[in-house]
Amino acid sequence: MKIAVFPGSFDPITVGHVDLVKRALPLFDKVVVAVGVNSTKKNLFTLDQRLDWLRQVFIQHPSVEIDFFQNLTAHYCQRIGAKYLIRGLRTSSDFEYEKTISQLNHIVGKGIETVFFIAQPEYSHISSTIVREIITGGGDASPFLPPEIIIGPAA
Ligand code: ADP
């Protein structure tokens, strides 16, 4: 069974993430969207909230599983029997960063391959960082969010 892990913070999930999962689905038997829990990273939304949104967004897709993990992504992949990672590339700086991580994961994960998807032009400007800035600034982030996610203006 070909299992791929799509790791990320998903703080929150955006239409860019959803596009990646949908494009990856035909290539794998199962895609696990996994929230990496990193205690040094300050998140806007709680882990429970992020997982809840992910479950809602992919409820119609039986081959998508939602999970979370601590520590190394490569070890998580080994634990669940996943040999592939999915990541997205929006810019050349994404590429430089992702290149190193994928080379490390290939060693630490003993052959784990990272499959990269180039962002579609209509999504390449979208990031969770921008969405968080819009939300905390009191703006409307709905054009960047899957329809299942309703976030009111920040208090
Ligand atoms: P991380 O904190 O690990 O970067 P993110 O949730 O921000 O987690 O992103 C997870 C993955 O999704 C990354 O590979 C990122 O490049 C990719 N990604 C995020 N937004 C987009 C987008 N708009 N189009 C394509 N890929 C994206």
PDB file of all heavy atoms in Angstrom, residues 6-12 14-17 19-20 23 41 86-90 94 97-98 117-120 123-129 132, ligand 1:
ATOM      1  N   PHE A   6       1.524  14.076   4.278  1.00  0.00           N
ATOM      2  CA  PHE A   6       1.632  15.508   3.985  1.00  0.00           C
ATOM      3  C   PHE A   6       1.755  16.208   5.341  1.00  0.00           C
ATOM      4  O   PHE A   6       0.758  16.397   6.031  1.00  0.00           O
ATOM      5  CB  PHE A   6       0.397  15.975   3.218  1.00  0.00           C
ATOM      6  CG  PHE A   6       0.391  17.443   2.865  1.00  0.00           C
ATOM      7  CD1 PHE A   6       1.565  18.154   2.656  1.00  0.00           C
ATOM      8  CD2 PHE A   6      -0.808  18.123   2.716  1.00  0.00           C
ATOM      9  CE1 PHE A   6       1.564  19.503   2.324  1.00  0.00           C
ATOM     10  CE2 PHE A   6      -0.831  19.471   2.387  1.00  0.00           C
ATOM     11  CZ  PHE A   6       0.364  20.164   2.194  1.00  0.00           C
ATOM     12  N   PRO A   7       3.000  16.536   5.726  1.00  0.00           N
ATOM     13  CA  PRO A   7       3.196  17.134   7.041  1.00  0.00           C
ATOM     14  C   PRO A   7       3.136  18.659   6.967  1.00  0.00           C
ATOM     15  O   PRO A   7       3.496  19.254   5.953  1.00  0.00           O
ATOM     16  CB  PRO A   7       4.618  16.684   7.407  1.00  0.00           C
ATOM     17  CG  PRO A   7       5.325  16.631   6.089  1.00  0.00           C
ATOM     18  CD  PRO A   7       4.278  16.348   5.018  1.00  0.00           C
ATOM     19  N   GLY A   8       2.684  19.277   8.025  1.00  0.00           N
ATOM     20  CA  GLY A   8       2.656  20.736   8.058  1.00  0.00           C
ATOM     21  C   GLY A   8       2.095  21.239   9.361  1.00  0.00           C
ATOM     22  O   GLY A   8       1.733  20.454  10.241  1.00  0.00           O
ATOM     23  N   SER A   9       2.037  22.558   9.460  1.00  0.00           N
ATOM     24  CA  SER A   9       1.451  23.163  10.662  1.00  0.00           C
ATOM     25  C   SER A   9      -0.060  23.343  10.473  1.00  0.00           C
ATOM     26  O   SER A   9      -0.820  23.284  11.431  1.00  0.00           O
ATOM     27  CB  SER A   9       2.080  24.530  10.932  1.00  0.00           C
ATOM     28  OG  SER A   9       3.479  24.441  10.892  1.00  0.00           O
ATOM     29  N   PHE A  10      -0.460  23.632   9.237  1.00  0.00           N
ATOM     30  CA  PHE A  10      -1.880  23.823   8.914  1.00  0.00           C
ATOM     31  C   PHE A  10      -2.546  24.791   9.892  1.00  0.00           C
ATOM     32  O   PHE A  10      -3.593  24.502  10.462  1.00  0.00           O
ATOM     33  CB  PHE A  10      -2.615  22.474   8.847  1.00  0.00           C
ATOM     34  CG  PHE A  10      -1.957  21.510   7.900  1.00  0.00           C
ATOM     35  CD1 PHE A  10      -1.230  20.420   8.370  1.00  0.00           C
ATOM     36  CD2 PHE A  10      -2.026  21.729   6.531  1.00  0.00           C
ATOM     37  CE1 PHE A  10      -0.586  19.559   7.492  1.00  0.00           C
ATOM     38  CE2 PHE A  10      -1.388  20.864   5.643  1.00  0.00           C
ATOM     39  CZ  PHE A  10      -0.671  19.784   6.135  1.00  0.00           C
ATOM     40  N   ASP A  11      -1.908  25.937  10.058  1.00  0.00           N
ATOM     41  CA  ASP A  11      -2.332  26.929  11.070  1.00  0.00           C
ATOM     42  C   ASP A  11      -2.793  28.218  10.388  1.00  0.00           C
ATOM     43  O   ASP A  11      -2.103  29.244  10.498  1.00  0.00           O
ATOM     44  CB  ASP A  11      -1.140  27.184  12.007  1.00  0.00           C
ATOM     45  CG  ASP A  11      -1.512  28.086  13.171  1.00  0.00           C
ATOM     46  OD1 ASP A  11      -2.667  28.016  13.624  1.00  0.00           O
ATOM     47  OD2 ASP A  11      -0.648  28.857  13.647  1.00  0.00           O
ATOM     48  N   PRO A  12      -3.925  28.235   9.695  1.00  0.00           N
ATOM     49  CA  PRO A  12      -4.847  27.122   9.434  1.00  0.00           C
ATOM     50  C   PRO A  12      -4.606  26.527   8.040  1.00  0.00           C
ATOM     51  O   PRO A  12      -3.801  27.045   7.267  1.00  0.00           O
ATOM     52  CB  PRO A  12      -6.208  27.844   9.443  1.00  0.00           C
ATOM     53  CG  PRO A  12      -5.893  29.184   8.816  1.00  0.00           C
ATOM     54  CD  PRO A  12      -4.484  29.527   9.234  1.00  0.00           C
ATOM     55  N   THR A  14      -5.250  25.997   4.229  1.00  0.00           N
ATOM     56  CA  THR A  14      -5.697  26.960   3.206  1.00  0.00           C
ATOM     57  C   THR A  14      -6.122  26.204   1.937  1.00  0.00           C
ATOM     58  O   THR A  14      -5.886  24.985   1.828  1.00  0.00           O
ATOM     59  CB  THR A  14      -4.556  27.921   2.809  1.00  0.00           C
ATOM     60  OG1 THR A  14      -3.567  27.164   2.095  1.00  0.00           O
ATOM     61  CG2 THR A  14      -3.931  28.603   4.014  1.00  0.00           C
ATOM     62  N   VAL A  15      -6.672  26.936   0.986  1.00  0.00           N
ATOM     63  CA  VAL A  15      -7.045  26.315  -0.291  1.00  0.00           C
ATOM     64  C   VAL A  15      -5.802  25.790  -1.031  1.00  0.00           C
ATOM     65  O   VAL A  15      -5.898  24.864  -1.824  1.00  0.00           O
ATOM     66  CB  VAL A  15      -7.856  27.275  -1.200  1.00  0.00           C
ATOM     67  CG1 VAL A  15      -9.262  27.443  -0.696  1.00  0.00           C
ATOM     68  CG2 VAL A  15      -7.177  28.630  -1.342  1.00  0.00           C
ATOM     69  N   GLY A  16      -4.653  26.362  -0.737  1.00  0.00           N
ATOM     70  CA  GLY A  16      -3.398  25.873  -1.339  1.00  0.00           C
ATOM     71  C   GLY A  16      -3.081  24.467  -0.845  1.00  0.00           C
ATOM     72  O   GLY A  16      -2.703  23.592  -1.636  1.00  0.00           O
ATOM     73  N   HIS A  17      -3.239  24.206   0.440  1.00  0.00           N
ATOM     74  CA  HIS A  17      -3.015  22.865   0.987  1.00  0.00           C
ATOM     75  C   HIS A  17      -4.011  21.861   0.384  1.00  0.00           C
ATOM     76  O   HIS A  17      -3.635  20.748   0.023  1.00  0.00           O
ATOM     77  CB  HIS A  17      -3.221  22.856   2.516  1.00  0.00           C
ATOM     78  CG  HIS A  17      -2.225  23.650   3.296  1.00  0.00           C
ATOM     79  ND1 HIS A  17      -2.591  24.635   4.189  1.00  0.00           N
ATOM     80  CD2 HIS A  17      -0.861  23.608   3.348  1.00  0.00           C
ATOM     81  CE1 HIS A  17      -1.512  25.151   4.755  1.00  0.00           C
ATOM     82  NE2 HIS A  17      -0.447  24.557   4.260  1.00  0.00           N
ATOM     83  N   ASP A  19      -5.544  21.930  -2.439  1.00  0.00           N
ATOM     84  CA  ASP A  19      -5.195  21.650  -3.830  1.00  0.00           C
ATOM     85  C   ASP A  19      -4.102  20.586  -3.914  1.00  0.00           C
ATOM     86  O   ASP A  19      -4.171  19.664  -4.726  1.00  0.00           O
ATOM     87  CB  ASP A  19      -4.743  22.949  -4.518  1.00  0.00           C
ATOM     88  CG  ASP A  19      -4.429  22.724  -5.990  1.00  0.00           C
ATOM     89  OD1 ASP A  19      -5.355  22.318  -6.722  1.00  0.00           O
ATOM     90  OD2 ASP A  19      -3.271  22.918  -6.397  1.00  0.00           O
ATOM     91  N   LEU A  20      -3.117  20.702  -3.032  1.00  0.00           N
ATOM     92  CA  LEU A  20      -2.008  19.739  -3.022  1.00  0.00           C
ATOM     93  C   LEU A  20      -2.505  18.331  -2.716  1.00  0.00           C
ATOM     94  O   LEU A  20      -2.119  17.364  -3.371  1.00  0.00           O
ATOM     95  CB  LEU A  20      -1.002  20.162  -1.939  1.00  0.00           C
ATOM     96  CG  LEU A  20       0.412  20.471  -2.377  1.00  0.00           C
ATOM     97  CD1 LEU A  20       0.435  21.573  -3.392  1.00  0.00           C
ATOM     98  CD2 LEU A  20       1.270  20.828  -1.178  1.00  0.00           C
ATOM     99  N   ARG A  23      -4.335  16.834  -5.634  1.00  0.00           N
ATOM    100  CA  ARG A  23      -3.441  16.440  -6.726  1.00  0.00           C
ATOM    101  C   ARG A  23      -2.635  15.200  -6.360  1.00  0.00           C
ATOM    102  O   ARG A  23      -2.237  14.421  -7.239  1.00  0.00           O
ATOM    103  CB  ARG A  23      -2.503  17.609  -7.066  1.00  0.00           C
ATOM    104  CG  ARG A  23      -3.257  18.755  -7.752  1.00  0.00           C
ATOM    105  CD  ARG A  23      -2.464  20.040  -7.727  1.00  0.00           C
ATOM    106  NE  ARG A  23      -1.250  19.980  -8.521  1.00  0.00           N
ATOM    107  CZ  ARG A  23      -0.256  20.877  -8.428  1.00  0.00           C
ATOM    108  NH1 ARG A  23      -0.364  21.904  -7.587  1.00  0.00           N
ATOM    109  NH2 ARG A  23       0.817  20.759  -9.168  1.00  0.00           N
ATOM    110  N   LYS A  41       7.182  26.375  18.224  1.00  0.00           N
ATOM    111  CA  LYS A  41       6.495  27.198  17.241  1.00  0.00           C
ATOM    112  C   LYS A  41       5.210  27.752  17.863  1.00  0.00           C
ATOM    113  O   LYS A  41       4.432  27.002  18.443  1.00  0.00           O
ATOM    114  CB  LYS A  41       6.154  26.332  16.020  1.00  0.00           C
ATOM    115  CG  LYS A  41       6.178  27.082  14.723  1.00  0.00           C
ATOM    116  CD  LYS A  41       6.194  26.112  13.552  1.00  0.00           C
ATOM    117  CE  LYS A  41       6.049  26.812  12.229  1.00  0.00           C
ATOM    118  NZ  LYS A  41       6.123  25.892  11.108  1.00  0.00           N
ATOM    119  N   ILE A  86       4.839  14.470   1.030  1.00  0.00           N
ATOM    120  CA  ILE A  86       4.324  15.430   0.047  1.00  0.00           C
ATOM    121  C   ILE A  86       4.652  16.827   0.564  1.00  0.00           C
ATOM    122  O   ILE A  86       4.409  17.126   1.741  1.00  0.00           O
ATOM    123  CB  ILE A  86       2.788  15.295  -0.082  1.00  0.00           C
ATOM    124  CG1 ILE A  86       2.433  13.941  -0.670  1.00  0.00           C
ATOM    125  CG2 ILE A  86       2.208  16.437  -0.898  1.00  0.00           C
ATOM    126  CD1 ILE A  86       0.967  13.598  -0.509  1.00  0.00           C
ATOM    127  N   ARG A  87       5.193  17.667  -0.314  1.00  0.00           N
ATOM    128  CA  ARG A  87       5.422  19.069   0.043  1.00  0.00           C
ATOM    129  C   ARG A  87       5.103  19.934  -1.173  1.00  0.00           C
ATOM    130  O   ARG A  87       5.114  19.452  -2.307  1.00  0.00           O
ATOM    131  CB  ARG A  87       6.871  19.314   0.482  1.00  0.00           C
ATOM    132  CG  ARG A  87       7.278  18.589   1.745  1.00  0.00           C
ATOM    133  CD  ARG A  87       6.642  19.139   3.000  1.00  0.00           C
ATOM    134  NE  ARG A  87       7.239  20.396   3.421  1.00  0.00           N
ATOM    135  CZ  ARG A  87       6.807  21.088   4.476  1.00  0.00           C
ATOM    136  NH1 ARG A  87       5.795  20.658   5.213  1.00  0.00           N
ATOM    137  NH2 ARG A  87       7.388  22.227   4.792  1.00  0.00           N
ATOM    138  N   GLY A  88       4.842  21.186  -0.918  1.00  0.00           N
ATOM    139  CA  GLY A  88       4.521  22.103  -2.008  1.00  0.00           C
ATOM    140  C   GLY A  88       5.632  23.122  -2.196  1.00  0.00           C
ATOM    141  O   GLY A  88       6.327  23.479  -1.245  1.00  0.00           O
ATOM    142  N   LEU A  89       5.799  23.563  -3.447  1.00  0.00           N
ATOM    143  CA  LEU A  89       6.802  24.591  -3.740  1.00  0.00           C
ATOM    144  C   LEU A  89       6.117  25.798  -4.362  1.00  0.00           C
ATOM    145  O   LEU A  89       5.482  25.686  -5.408  1.00  0.00           O
ATOM    146  CB  LEU A  89       7.853  24.039  -4.716  1.00  0.00           C
ATOM    147  CG  LEU A  89       8.667  22.835  -4.248  1.00  0.00           C
ATOM    148  CD1 LEU A  89       9.569  22.349  -5.373  1.00  0.00           C
ATOM    149  CD2 LEU A  89       9.494  23.170  -3.017  1.00  0.00           C
ATOM    150  N   ARG A  90       6.225  26.926  -3.681  1.00  0.00           N
ATOM    151  CA  ARG A  90       5.634  28.160  -4.204  1.00  0.00           C
ATOM    152  C   ARG A  90       6.681  29.069  -4.809  1.00  0.00           C
ATOM    153  O   ARG A  90       6.450  29.755  -5.784  1.00  0.00           O
ATOM    154  CB  ARG A  90       4.906  28.919  -3.073  1.00  0.00           C
ATOM    155  CG  ARG A  90       3.631  28.270  -2.624  1.00  0.00           C
ATOM    156  CD  ARG A  90       3.236  28.734  -1.258  1.00  0.00           C
ATOM    157  NE  ARG A  90       4.204  28.273  -0.271  1.00  0.00           N
ATOM    158  CZ  ARG A  90       4.020  28.358   1.034  1.00  0.00           C
ATOM    159  NH1 ARG A  90       2.948  28.903   1.518  1.00  0.00           N
ATOM    160  NH2 ARG A  90       4.940  27.890   1.855  1.00  0.00           N
ATOM    161  N   ASP A  94      11.197  28.490  -1.057  1.00  0.00           N
ATOM    162  CA  ASP A  94      10.607  27.204  -0.643  1.00  0.00           C
ATOM    163  C   ASP A  94      11.526  26.078  -1.111  1.00  0.00           C
ATOM    164  O   ASP A  94      11.826  25.150  -0.374  1.00  0.00           O
ATOM    165  CB  ASP A  94       9.235  26.969  -1.324  1.00  0.00           C
ATOM    166  CG  ASP A  94       8.051  27.474  -0.504  1.00  0.00           C
ATOM    167  OD1 ASP A  94       8.276  28.017   0.592  1.00  0.00           O
ATOM    168  OD2 ASP A  94       6.905  27.336  -0.988  1.00  0.00           O
ATOM    169  N   TYR A  97      14.826  25.677   0.904  1.00  0.00           N
ATOM    170  CA  TYR A  97      14.550  25.136   2.232  1.00  0.00           C
ATOM    171  C   TYR A  97      14.161  23.652   2.131  1.00  0.00           C
ATOM    172  O   TYR A  97      14.704  22.789   2.812  1.00  0.00           O
ATOM    173  CB  TYR A  97      13.432  25.966   2.858  1.00  0.00           C
ATOM    174  CG  TYR A  97      12.902  25.434   4.161  1.00  0.00           C
ATOM    175  CD1 TYR A  97      13.631  25.602   5.340  1.00  0.00           C
ATOM    176  CD2 TYR A  97      11.678  24.773   4.223  1.00  0.00           C
ATOM    177  CE1 TYR A  97      13.135  25.117   6.546  1.00  0.00           C
ATOM    178  CE2 TYR A  97      11.185  24.290   5.418  1.00  0.00           C
ATOM    179  CZ  TYR A  97      11.909  24.455   6.582  1.00  0.00           C
ATOM    180  OH  TYR A  97      11.425  23.965   7.763  1.00  0.00           O
ATOM    181  N   GLU A  98      13.239  23.369   1.216  1.00  0.00           N
ATOM    182  CA  GLU A  98      12.696  22.007   1.103  1.00  0.00           C
ATOM    183  C   GLU A  98      13.749  21.007   0.613  1.00  0.00           C
ATOM    184  O   GLU A  98      13.698  19.839   0.962  1.00  0.00           O
ATOM    185  CB  GLU A  98      11.496  21.993   0.148  1.00  0.00           C
ATOM    186  CG  GLU A  98      10.302  22.797   0.622  1.00  0.00           C
ATOM    187  CD  GLU A  98       9.579  22.169   1.820  1.00  0.00           C
ATOM    188  OE1 GLU A  98       9.812  20.978   2.112  1.00  0.00           O
ATOM    189  OE2 GLU A  98       8.796  22.883   2.455  1.00  0.00           O
ATOM    190  N   PHE A 117       5.069  19.170  -5.296  1.00  0.00           N
ATOM    191  CA  PHE A 117       4.081  19.718  -6.221  1.00  0.00           C
ATOM    192  C   PHE A 117       4.334  21.211  -6.338  1.00  0.00           C
ATOM    193  O   PHE A 117       4.451  21.907  -5.326  1.00  0.00           O
ATOM    194  CB  PHE A 117       2.660  19.492  -5.698  1.00  0.00           C
ATOM    195  CG  PHE A 117       2.242  18.056  -5.758  1.00  0.00           C
ATOM    196  CD1 PHE A 117       2.566  17.183  -4.737  1.00  0.00           C
ATOM    197  CD2 PHE A 117       1.539  17.574  -6.852  1.00  0.00           C
ATOM    198  CE1 PHE A 117       2.193  15.848  -4.804  1.00  0.00           C
ATOM    199  CE2 PHE A 117       1.165  16.246  -6.931  1.00  0.00           C
ATOM    200  CZ  PHE A 117       1.497  15.370  -5.902  1.00  0.00           C
ATOM    201  N   ILE A 118       4.437  21.678  -7.581  1.00  0.00           N
ATOM    202  CA  ILE A 118       4.585  23.105  -7.810  1.00  0.00           C
ATOM    203  C   ILE A 118       3.209  23.742  -7.617  1.00  0.00           C
ATOM    204  O   ILE A 118       2.217  23.261  -8.194  1.00  0.00           O
ATOM    205  CB  ILE A 118       5.068  23.384  -9.259  1.00  0.00           C
ATOM    206  CG1 ILE A 118       6.375  22.630  -9.562  1.00  0.00           C
ATOM    207  CG2 ILE A 118       5.180  24.886  -9.523  1.00  0.00           C
ATOM    208  CD1 ILE A 118       7.626  23.193  -8.977  1.00  0.00           C
ATOM    209  N   ALA A 119       3.167  24.802  -6.821  1.00  0.00           N
ATOM    210  CA  ALA A 119       1.894  25.474  -6.558  1.00  0.00           C
ATOM    211  C   ALA A 119       1.259  25.936  -7.862  1.00  0.00           C
ATOM    212  O   ALA A 119       1.950  26.419  -8.766  1.00  0.00           O
ATOM    213  CB  ALA A 119       2.125  26.672  -5.648  1.00  0.00           C
ATOM    214  N   GLN A 120      -0.052  25.791  -7.961  1.00  0.00           N
ATOM    215  CA  GLN A 120      -0.756  26.324  -9.126  1.00  0.00           C
ATOM    216  C   GLN A 120      -0.704  27.848  -9.025  1.00  0.00           C
ATOM    217  O   GLN A 120      -0.757  28.396  -7.913  1.00  0.00           O
ATOM    218  CB  GLN A 120      -2.194  25.852  -9.121  1.00  0.00           C
ATOM    219  CG  GLN A 120      -2.313  24.348  -9.124  1.00  0.00           C
ATOM    220  CD  GLN A 120      -3.465  23.876  -9.969  1.00  0.00           C
ATOM    221  OE1 GLN A 120      -3.489  24.137 -11.173  1.00  0.00           O
ATOM    222  NE2 GLN A 120      -4.413  23.203  -9.359  1.00  0.00           N
ATOM    223  N   TYR A 123      -2.782  29.760  -6.617  1.00  0.00           N
ATOM    224  CA  TYR A 123      -2.605  29.531  -5.176  1.00  0.00           C
ATOM    225  C   TYR A 123      -1.216  29.907  -4.682  1.00  0.00           C
ATOM    226  O   TYR A 123      -0.936  29.817  -3.496  1.00  0.00           O
ATOM    227  CB  TYR A 123      -2.857  28.062  -4.842  1.00  0.00           C
ATOM    228  CG  TYR A 123      -4.246  27.585  -5.167  1.00  0.00           C
ATOM    229  CD1 TYR A 123      -4.451  26.457  -5.969  1.00  0.00           C
ATOM    230  CD2 TYR A 123      -5.359  28.248  -4.657  1.00  0.00           C
ATOM    231  CE1 TYR A 123      -5.733  26.012  -6.259  1.00  0.00           C
ATOM    232  CE2 TYR A 123      -6.639  27.803  -4.962  1.00  0.00           C
ATOM    233  CZ  TYR A 123      -6.819  26.692  -5.750  1.00  0.00           C
ATOM    234  OH  TYR A 123      -8.080  26.263  -6.041  1.00  0.00           O
ATOM    235  N   SER A 124      -0.330  30.278  -5.596  1.00  0.00           N
ATOM    236  CA  SER A 124       1.076  30.375  -5.194  1.00  0.00           C
ATOM    237  C   SER A 124       1.349  31.553  -4.255  1.00  0.00           C
ATOM    238  O   SER A 124       2.401  31.616  -3.635  1.00  0.00           O
ATOM    239  CB  SER A 124       1.991  30.427  -6.421  1.00  0.00           C
ATOM    240  OG  SER A 124       1.688  31.560  -7.156  1.00  0.00           O
ATOM    241  N   HIS A 125       0.404  32.487  -4.143  1.00  0.00           N
ATOM    242  CA  HIS A 125       0.607  33.611  -3.208  1.00  0.00           C
ATOM    243  C   HIS A 125      -0.002  33.310  -1.838  1.00  0.00           C
ATOM    244  O   HIS A 125       0.069  34.139  -0.940  1.00  0.00           O
ATOM    245  CB  HIS A 125      -0.050  34.869  -3.794  1.00  0.00           C
ATOM    246  CG  HIS A 125      -1.520  34.688  -4.028  1.00  0.00           C
ATOM    247  ND1 HIS A 125      -2.017  33.805  -4.961  1.00  0.00           N
ATOM    248  CD2 HIS A 125      -2.594  35.243  -3.431  1.00  0.00           C
ATOM    249  CE1 HIS A 125      -3.347  33.840  -4.942  1.00  0.00           C
ATOM    250  NE2 HIS A 125      -3.715  34.699  -4.013  1.00  0.00           N
ATOM    251  N   ILE A 126      -0.599  32.143  -1.685  1.00  0.00           N
ATOM    252  CA  ILE A 126      -1.334  31.865  -0.444  1.00  0.00           C
ATOM    253  C   ILE A 126      -0.468  31.091   0.543  1.00  0.00           C
ATOM    254  O   ILE A 126       0.143  30.080   0.193  1.00  0.00           O
ATOM    255  CB  ILE A 126      -2.625  31.060  -0.746  1.00  0.00           C
ATOM    256  CG1 ILE A 126      -3.504  31.861  -1.712  1.00  0.00           C
ATOM    257  CG2 ILE A 126      -3.370  30.712   0.540  1.00  0.00           C
ATOM    258  CD1 ILE A 126      -4.718  31.119  -2.187  1.00  0.00           C
ATOM    259  N   SER A 127      -0.420  31.591   1.767  1.00  0.00           N
ATOM    260  CA  SER A 127       0.297  30.883   2.824  1.00  0.00           C
ATOM    261  C   SER A 127      -0.487  31.033   4.125  1.00  0.00           C
ATOM    262  O   SER A 127      -1.252  31.990   4.287  1.00  0.00           O
ATOM    263  CB  SER A 127       1.701  31.473   3.005  1.00  0.00           C
ATOM    264  OG  SER A 127       1.588  32.773   3.554  1.00  0.00           O
ATOM    265  N   SER A 128      -0.276  30.108   5.045  1.00  0.00           N
ATOM    266  CA  SER A 128      -0.935  30.211   6.358  1.00  0.00           C
ATOM    267  C   SER A 128      -0.479  31.480   7.070  1.00  0.00           C
ATOM    268  O   SER A 128      -1.253  32.095   7.806  1.00  0.00           O
ATOM    269  CB  SER A 128      -0.617  28.987   7.216  1.00  0.00           C
ATOM    270  OG  SER A 128      -1.156  27.834   6.635  1.00  0.00           O
ATOM    271  N   THR A 129       0.776  31.870   6.843  1.00  0.00           N
ATOM    272  CA  THR A 129       1.300  33.083   7.495  1.00  0.00           C
ATOM    273  C   THR A 129       0.475  34.307   7.100  1.00  0.00           C
ATOM    274  O   THR A 129       0.062  35.101   7.947  1.00  0.00           O
ATOM    275  CB  THR A 129       2.782  33.307   7.088  1.00  0.00           C
ATOM    276  OG1 THR A 129       3.488  32.098   7.321  1.00  0.00           O
ATOM    277  CG2 THR A 129       3.414  34.433   7.869  1.00  0.00           C
ATOM    278  N   ARG A 132      -2.970  34.145   8.636  1.00  0.00           N
ATOM    279  CA  ARG A 132      -2.953  34.514  10.068  1.00  0.00           C
ATOM    280  C   ARG A 132      -2.868  36.029  10.222  1.00  0.00           C
ATOM    281  O   ARG A 132      -3.513  36.606  11.084  1.00  0.00           O
ATOM    282  CB  ARG A 132      -1.769  33.847  10.789  1.00  0.00           C
ATOM    283  CG  ARG A 132      -1.928  32.370  10.999  1.00  0.00           C
ATOM    284  CD  ARG A 132      -0.940  31.841  12.029  1.00  0.00           C
ATOM    285  NE  ARG A 132       0.452  32.034  11.658  1.00  0.00           N
ATOM    286  CZ  ARG A 132       1.159  31.211  10.864  1.00  0.00           C
ATOM    287  NH1 ARG A 132       0.595  30.122  10.368  1.00  0.00           N
ATOM    288  NH2 ARG A 132       2.420  31.451  10.569  1.00  0.00           N
TER     289      ARG A 132
HETATM  290  P1  ADP B   1       5.185  24.143   7.521  1.00  0.00           P
HETATM  291  O1  ADP B   1       5.066  24.866   8.834  1.00  0.00           O
HETATM  292  O2  ADP B   1       5.737  22.766   7.639  1.00  0.00           O
HETATM  293  O3  ADP B   1       5.779  24.935   6.388  1.00  0.00           O
HETATM  294  P2  ADP B   1       2.624  24.657   6.299  1.00  0.00           P
HETATM  295  O4  ADP B   1       1.311  24.222   6.849  1.00  0.00           O
HETATM  296  O5  ADP B   1       2.876  26.124   6.262  1.00  0.00           O
HETATM  297  O6  ADP B   1       3.669  23.872   7.153  1.00  0.00           O
HETATM  298  O7  ADP B   1       2.829  24.087   4.837  1.00  0.00           O
HETATM  299  C1  ADP B   1       2.847  22.719   4.569  1.00  0.00           C
HETATM  300  C2  ADP B   1       3.253  22.456   3.123  1.00  0.00           C
HETATM  301  O8  ADP B   1       2.275  22.995   2.251  1.00  0.00           O
HETATM  302  C3  ADP B   1       4.577  23.087   2.712  1.00  0.00           C
HETATM  303  O9  ADP B   1       5.266  22.181   1.861  1.00  0.00           O
HETATM  304  C4  ADP B   1       4.178  24.287   1.909  1.00  0.00           C
HETATM  305  O10 ADP B   1       5.157  24.609   0.930  1.00  0.00           O
HETATM  306  C5  ADP B   1       2.903  23.773   1.248  1.00  0.00           C
HETATM  307  N1  ADP B   1       2.021  24.870   0.874  1.00  0.00           N
HETATM  308  C6  ADP B   1       1.483  25.798   1.688  1.00  0.00           C
HETATM  309  N2  ADP B   1       0.718  26.666   1.004  1.00  0.00           N
HETATM  310  C7  ADP B   1       0.763  26.247  -0.297  1.00  0.00           C
HETATM  311  C8  ADP B   1       0.187  26.738  -1.522  1.00  0.00           C
HETATM  312  N3  ADP B   1      -0.549  27.836  -1.545  1.00  0.00           N
HETATM  313  N4  ADP B   1       0.439  26.054  -2.664  1.00  0.00           N
HETATM  314  C9  ADP B   1       1.229  24.956  -2.646  1.00  0.00           C
HETATM  315  N5  ADP B   1       1.814  24.458  -1.534  1.00  0.00           N
HETATM  316  C10 ADP B   1       1.590  25.093  -0.374  1.00  0.00           C
END
